[in-house]
Amino acid sequence: MNASDGSGPATVPIRGVLFDIDETLVDLRSAAIQGFVSLSAPALAHLNPERIAAIAADFADDGARAYDRYMAGELTFLGQREVRLQRAYRLAGATAPSGQAYARWAHEYETKVRESWKPFGDVPAFLDQLESLARLATMSSHTNVTSCRPQGSLDSNASLVPIPLGHRNHTRPRSWPGALH
């Protein structure tokens, strides 16, 4: 595959490709918004739809800038999500779940996100083309949002093998030096 236009054969054999799933292959933002709105509907019921959409977008887009703190090692993955949730609920004038209630919310949120996580429309065809042009033995994907690829969303490409770089409790940021070993 010619790097400039994709029309010719590779000049250097490609032995594999590693993709970051989130917002590269899969529309995580839409899934995050849907999950947040679904679980937070009772706390947001007093708001108009436009305000709910703005708060959900702030949560998904990390208006709290908590992910930077996670990447710096100041928060766990779930801790940064809790900071984002607290901000969203503050914007709504509501009290965010905490303690065990937050743990339940986070688990349910993860489930909702997985249910609605889908590849961008051009991804399956792109992966099929990449596989046929490069004759790859393996294409791998990475995410630190869940421990595996979204169920059913990338299954059409049998060569795409998930490689989770975080682990289930998300205690280390993906910038951790041991993540790729």
Side-chain angles (χ1 to χ4, degrees):
M1 178 180 209
N2 185 319
S4 63
D5 66 11
S7 63
T11 57
V12 175
I14 299 172
R15 294 182 18 193
V17 176
L18 176 67
F19 292 100
D20 183 346
I21 291 178
D22 319 325
E23 293 304 307
T24 301
L25 299 179
V26 174
D27 183 2
L28 176 61
R29 184 177 188 273
S30 293
I33 288 171
Q34 289 173 10
F36 173 83
V37 170
S38 172
L39 290 173
S40 301
L44 307 176
H46 64 285
L47 301 173
N48 67 45
E50 293 80 20
R51 185 69 182 141
I52 293 170
I55 291 170
D58 184 85
F59 173 81
D61 296 337
D62 190 20
R65 302 194 47 84
Y67 195 81
D68 291 342
R69 293 177 55 203
Y70 161 66
M71 293 299 291
E74 297 171 20
L75 296 170
T76 64
F77 185 80
L78 292 176
Q80 66 83 31
R81 186 178 285 158
E82 185 173 16
V83 168
R84 291 166 53 196
L85 183 66
Q86 290 168 352
R87 174 185 162 89
Y89 274 58
R90 251 189 335 272
L91 292 171
T95 302
S98 61
Q100 287 300 320
Y102 169 70
R104 283 189 302 278
W105 188 96
H107 176 75
E108 291 175 25
Y109 172 79
E110 190 77 23
T111 300
K112 295 282 186 191
V113 168
R114 286 184 195 185
E115 289 170 357
S116 59
W117 211 12
K118 294 182 177 54
F120 289 107
D122 60 348
V123 167
F126 169 76
L127 292 177
D128 288 343
Q129 181 184 21
L130 181 61
E131 183 177 31
S132 69
L133 290 175
R135 293 179 187 81
L136 296 175
T138 302
M139 285 185 283
S140 298
S141 57
H142 154 255
T143 184
N144 61 349
V145 175
T146 62
S147 61
C148 62
R149 72 175 175 230
Q151 292 298 313
S153 65
L154 298 172
D155 289 338
S156 67
N157 191 297
S159 295
L160 188 63
V161 178
I163 299 179
L165 295 184
H167 43 77
R168 196 65 196 114
N169 65 4
H170 307 292
T171 59
R172 296 187 188 257
R174 70 176 153 192
S175 59
W176 172 58
L180 294 175
H181 300 287

